[in-house]
Amino acid sequence: MGSPEEAREARVRLPQLKLDELLEELQARLDAARGTRDRVHSLLEAVLSVGRELELEQVLHSIVEAAAVLVDAEYGALGVIGPDGTGLSAFHTIGVTEEQIARIGPYPEGHGILGELIRHPEPLRLVKLSEHQASYGFPPNHPPMNTFLGVPIRVRDQIFGNLYLTEKRAGAHFDDEDESVLSTLAVAAGVAIDNARLYEESRLRERWLRANAEITHSLMSGDSRTKVLALIAERAGEITGSALAAVALPMEDTGSLAVEIAVGMDAEAHKGLVPPMDRSLMGLAFSGATPVTSPDVGHDGRITLEPPRFGGLGPAVAVPIGTGEAGVRGVVLLARETGRQPFTATETETLQAFAAQAAIAMELAERRLDAQEIAVLQDRDRIARDLHDLAIQRLFATGMTLQSTSRFIDHPEAAERVVRAVDDLDETIKIIRSTIFGLRSRGGTGGDGLRARVMRAVGEAAPVLGFAPSVRMEGLVETRVPRETADHLVAVLSEALTNIARHAHAGRADISLTADSHQVRLTVTDNGCGIPADGRRSGLRNIAERAEQLGGELELGSPDGGGSTVVWRVPVPTE
């Protein structure tokens, strides 16, 4: 046994040791509380930062940044789930440079571990990514990643996307507290995303309303139909972020469509085109009176790709202009570049509402023009009636008076002058009557339009050819081509198609009709055996004579790939 002094020293050291342990534990608890306080403070700051943004893209980027800071992760990403709910439509990252992204290649589509969260939207925490059964490795040049934490982001009752965090710094692992903090941020993120979406929808709705007001004002101001259609195409393309926008209208008495306006990528390939009703988005939308969408218009089995016109284009939608009792007045076609997002159901519905409003504006403008035309016709009828009932009767009475007066004139020269005056009055009466007839008959349609006649000629030739030729019509076809020239042109077209059917052995024919203020030009091209040098040329001679009769010319050629080209051009009278 020790001495009394040693026992007393032992009793002194024991309380001292317990006090040190208590102090250390107290310090640890204080540090933990301080750490928890700081983390809660950081979480609140992150929630405020995320909720402060209104632009959706900026909101998503802020969410990823805040998540990485909160859980001390080196890499972070937010994957937006696509409309089909099985893959990712967008991917926002931090921690990886643009150079690294370029070397890695395309963003992930939602397979492997990323797809695991899509299929099972619950928090997922892993110590080593490669050990999970859903993992199948990283693409070349991808930075190494081991620790992983992922949580879903819900917007109301739907899964919007997932937060992915990897590589906790200092070699640590993600813990329960990290998962709790990240899940809390995901709830705040869902609210921020919903707010950003509502803000985006309100701005989009405002842009559509402004576009409708602009179109209505243009129509009611008396702008030309071409200008209004161009405005519809331009505004629809701008608001939806489309690379191509086109508007097609039905041609009278044919049941076919003709593209009147096209703006954007490869617009020239669409202008004047007559798309087939059963092999084009426009035709399907027009005949069904309902929107038709395509995820990739360049590789859609429902659509004919002849002539080529969709290079570099992917998602597309065709929406009818007007429905119901008034019928479909036309079709709007929009197409985005390859790789862009398909048109969503919400976008299609909004575009359909825009097209319906445009149709109402067109209807009102037409009624206004009809009213103006009726007023003009009524005024012409009044003028004609006044000329007939007043001017002619007075002239006739004056002539009768002069005739009766001539019997009392003895001077031969004076009598001759009176007779000439009576004759002049008779001629004036004839002129006025001719003017009256013109006033009452002007404004008629003058028969079928040239577009309709061309389409009928093509339709009649299709069974003989064994295929339907492609048709493109541009310019002032209906307004600048006189009736006589139109008659010759239709006859030339029929002759050219007959020659192709009889002699060319072709599998394709392209027809182009253009007219401006100077000339009308008809081009018929086929991929057949060409025009033989020693063959019969009676049909071509007839075509040439028709051109010469109107002061024009006929040009024959052969395209690079073989076949023949017939170009028939004649001048049109100046206004």
Side-chain angles (χ1 to χ4, degrees):
M1 294 184 64
S3 63
E5 290 78 8
E6 292 176 347
R8 190 166 46 253
E9 290 177 3
R11 285 195 299 271
V12 171
R13 284 199 304 272
L14 184 60
Q16 184 66 41
L17 287 173
K18 290 183 177 179
L19 180 60
D20 289 342
E21 291 175 358
L22 288 172
L23 289 173
E24 288 177 2
E25 183 177 351
L26 179 60
Q27 184 64 44
R29 290 181 180 272
L30 287 172
D31 291 341
R34 189 179 297 110
T36 301
R37 182 202 64 188
D38 293 342
R39 199 159 198 186
V40 170
H41 183 68
S42 298
L43 177 59
L44 290 174
E45 284 186 343
V47 170
L48 290 174
S49 173
V50 167
R52 197 176 293 124
E53 301 292 343
L54 285 176
E55 298 287 345
L56 182 58
E57 292 297 312
Q58 188 58 44
V59 167
L60 300 180
H61 186 72
S62 298
I63 292 171
V64 182
E65 283 186 333
V69 171
L70 284 174
V71 299
D72 201 20
E74 186 174 353
Y75 304 106
L78 192 157
V80 180
I81 298 176
D84 59 357
T86 61
L88 298 177
S89 61
F91 205 70
H92 303 265
T93 65
I94 63 165
V96 185
T97 65
E98 294 294 331
E99 292 77 9
Q100 287 177 304
I101 293 173
R103 289 198 300 270
I104 294 171
Y107 280 121
E109 298 178 355
H111 305 297
I113 294 295
L114 304 187
E116 184 71 15
L117 258 74
I118 296 175
R119 293 185 294 272
H120 306 288
E122 298 293 337
L124 177 63
R125 192 168 74 246
L126 301 173
V127 175
K128 196 169 182 63
L129 266 169
S130 58
E131 294 179 354
H132 194 278
Q133 60 183 4
S135 176
Y136 58 81
F138 295 106
N141 302 313
H142 197 286
M145 295 180 181
N146 291 302
T147 54
F148 174 86
L149 175 59
V151 297
I153 298 176
R154 287 179 169 82
V155 177
R156 299 185 183 181
D157 296 330
Q158 294 183 339
I159 302 297
F160 173 83
N162 295 301
L163 271 173
Y164 309 107
L165 285 305
T166 60
E167 290 301 287
K168 189 174 177 69
R169 299 182 187 276
H173 298 159
F174 295 110
D175 55 22
D176 291 340
E177 191 173 342
D178 291 326
E179 182 179 319
S180 177
V181 168
L182 199 60
S183 297
T184 303
L185 178 65
V187 173
V191 175
I193 291 169
D194 194 29
N195 289 337
R197 276 180 163 179
L198 292 173
Y199 175 70
E200 191 175 81
E201 289 175 3
S202 67
R203 287 202 311 169
L204 190 61
R205 193 178 300 111
E206 182 181 353
R207 292 184 67 187
W208 283 118
L209 289 173
R210 282 203 303 266
N212 271 318
E214 188 177 2
I215 290 166
T216 302
H217 179 268
S218 180
L219 282 165
M220 294 306 174
S221 298
D223 288 341
S224 66
R225 185 180 73 167
T226 300
K227 184 176 180 180
V228 174
L229 293 178
L231 188 61
I232 291 174
E234 289 170 3
R235 293 297 176 266
E238 289 171 3
I239 296 174
T240 59
S242 300
L244 170 72
V247 178
L249 299 182
M251 295 185 294
E252 293 182 5
D253 303 326
T254 66
S256 300
L257 290 171
V259 179
E260 298 280 343
I261 296 294
V263 293
M265 184 183 294
D266 289 336
E268 293 301 322
H270 291 78
K271 288 180 181 177
L273 188 69
V274 180
M277 299 300 291
D278 59 342
R279 296 284 290 163
S280 66
L281 284 187
M282 282 185 161
L284 294 172
F286 182 79
S287 57
T290 185
V292 180
T293 60
S294 174
D296 188 355
V297 72
H299 300 84
D300 194 321
R302 300 171 298 170
I303 303 168
T304 177
L305 300 181
E306 296 294 337
R309 59 197 186 279
F310 292 120
L313 296 173
V317 60
V319 178
I321 300 176
T323 55
E325 296 181 0
V328 179
R329 293 179 167 272
V331 178
V332 177
L333 171 71
L334 300 173
R336 290 170 174 158
E337 294 181 1
T338 302
R340 293 284 307 279
Q341 292 298 312
F343 289 88
T344 64
T346 301
E347 286 180 311
T348 303
E349 290 174 3
T350 306
L351 181 60
Q352 191 174 11
F354 168 74
Q357 290 295 323
I360 293 173
M362 293 170 70
E363 175 78 15
L364 291 174
E366 288 179 6
R367 294 290 177 267
R368 178 171 170 269
L369 289 175
D370 289 344
Q372 290 177 342
E373 185 174 352
I374 290 172
V376 170
L377 292 175
Q378 288 176 341
D379 199 39
R380 286 178 178 173
D381 191 59
R382 179 189 59 78
I383 294 171
R385 187 172 56 251
D386 289 347
L387 286 173
H388 181 273
D389 295 344
L390 301 176
I392 288 182
Q393 299 304 323
R394 295 192 66 175
L395 288 173
F396 185 77
T398 302
M400 294 292 293
T401 301
L402 288 174
Q403 278 186 326
S404 62
T405 304
S406 64
R407 296 197 302 266
F408 302 103
I409 300 176
D410 296 329
H411 195 284
E413 186 176 346
E416 184 181 351
R417 287 187 178 183
V418 171
V419 170
R420 284 203 304 269
V422 172
D423 291 340
D424 288 342
L425 286 174
D426 286 339
E427 190 63 29
T428 302
I429 290 172
K430 291 179 182 178
I431 293 172
I432 294 176
R433 282 177 173 165
S434 177
T435 302
I436 292 171
F437 178 79
L439 286 171
R440 286 177 171 170
S441 63
R442 191 174 300 168
T445 60
D448 293 337
L450 181 55
R451 288 178 182 267
R453 297 178 65 188
V454 167
M455 290 307 300
R456 274 201 299 272
V458 172
E460 291 169 359
V464 181
L465 290 167
F467 58 87
S470 70
V471 182
R472 188 190 310 280
M473 289 183 271
E474 301 180 51
L476 309 176
V477 174
E478 297 287 6
T479 58
R480 294 293 293 127
V481 182
R483 181 73 185 193
E484 180 185 3
T485 303
D487 293 341
H488 282 287
L489 188 145
V490 173
V492 167
L493 175 60
S494 299
E495 181 70 30
L497 293 176
T498 300
N499 288 341
I500 293 173
R502 289 178 178 175
H503 311 296
H505 306 291
R508 173 180 170 182
D510 300 313
I511 299 164
S512 174
L513 174 60
T514 60
D516 55 27
S517 59
H518 304 291
Q519 71 170 6
V520 56
R521 174 189 176 109
L522 173 67
T523 304
V524 182
T525 305
D526 67 78
N527 63 349
C529 59
I531 301 173
D534 56 350
R536 293 181 58 188
R537 295 193 169 226
S538 58
L540 294 176
R541 186 166 57 252
N542 292 336
I543 293 175
E545 288 175 356
R546 288 181 182 275
E548 293 169 1
Q549 182 179 342
L550 296 173
E553 60 181 349
L554 173 68
E555 180 183 332
L556 304 177
S558 179
D560 295 337
S564 63
T565 300
V566 175
V567 181
W568 188 84
R569 63 170 70 87
V570 297
V572 296
T574 57
E575 293 182 338

